[in-house]
Amino acid sequence: MSAKKTTGQKIVAKNKKAFHDYHIDQTLEAGIVLSGPEVKSLRAGKANVRDGYAQLKNGEVFLYNVHISPYAWTTHLAQDPLRVRKLLLHRQEIRKLIGKLHEKGIALIPLKIYFVANGKAKVELALARGKKLYDKRAALKEKESNREMQRNLRREE
């Protein structure tokens, strides 16, 4: 029996590169405004959030450069896969973001898109600060040394 607790999430797309390129300060969950064929495409797992980012515009948050492939069996005109999508956040959350995004070097990036138990699509956003090249190298060295220690521990057992 596993001690791991399931949260009822079906992860569609993950931005693994974000953890390499950024220091993640804070995360938050937001809903996405999608069309019907986009939801079906997400359920099929056809999304890419690697180059995505979010911006504030006129007191609302929008998601840019997130590619959701057109659904093959749609009956009406397919939408642009890279179109700008509105994110659904509470007004208080948006106010907090406004202050933090005006700091230098802070970006709002998507970490993953997933479906929650009630069938709604959500995106996990992160307030992130870009890493310098030497930070990336140090993180890789640390990761490699941890792997080496784990290997040595397994050999000793």
Side-chain angles (χ1 to χ4, degrees):
M1 211 161 132
S2 173
K4 195 174 185 181
K5 186 177 155 186
T6 59
T7 59
Q9 292 182 354
K10 179 190 179 236
I11 296 175
V12 175
K14 224 174 188 181
N15 189 354
K16 293 178 185 174
K17 196 174 179 192
F19 293 97
H20 181 262
D21 292 340
Y22 298 97
H23 293 288
I24 306 299
D25 293 339
Q26 179 183 353
T27 62
L28 62 138
E29 180 182 75
I32 317 171
V33 176
L34 297 169
S35 65
E38 285 178 325
V39 174
K40 288 195 172 242
S41 190
L42 277 180
R43 289 200 186 281
K46 303 207 173 178
N48 183 2
V49 294
R50 180 172 294 167
D51 297 326
Y53 63 96
Q55 277 188 335
L56 284 161
K57 192 182 244 184
N58 299 329
E60 295 178 325
V61 183
F62 293 94
L63 192 61
Y64 296 89
N65 276 357
V66 171
H67 188 278
I68 297 177
S69 299
Y71 185 61
W73 304 103
T74 187
T75 56
H76 51 82
L77 200 60
Q79 293 181 337
D80 178 26
L82 287 173
R83 78 179 180 90
V84 178
R85 294 171 181 88
K86 184 177 175 181
L87 296 179
L88 306 172
L89 289 165
H90 291 284
R91 195 170 287 129
Q92 307 90 283
E93 292 175 321
I94 294 173
R95 278 195 214 117
K96 286 179 189 174
L97 284 177
I98 289 171
K100 293 190 178 184
L101 287 176
H102 286 299
E103 292 178 29
K104 187 177 180 190
I106 297 286
L108 190 59
I109 57 169
L111 294 179
K112 63 183 173 180
I113 296 178
Y114 55 94
F115 285 99
V116 289
N118 65 0
K120 300 210 184 310
K122 303 282 184 178
V123 62
E124 183 177 2
L125 297 171
L127 280 169
R129 194 176 306 273
K131 282 186 182 178
K132 303 282 187 213
L133 185 60
Y134 56 84
D135 289 335
K136 293 178 189 179
R137 287 184 188 142
L140 285 174
K141 281 183 185 175
E142 183 180 340
K143 194 174 183 181
E144 187 60 38
S145 67
N146 286 341
R147 281 186 189 151
E148 193 63 37
M149 285 191 326
Q150 291 298 325
R151 277 190 213 120
N152 290 337
L153 286 173
R154 273 190 245 122
R155 284 185 195 140
E156 290 174 5
E157 288 178 358

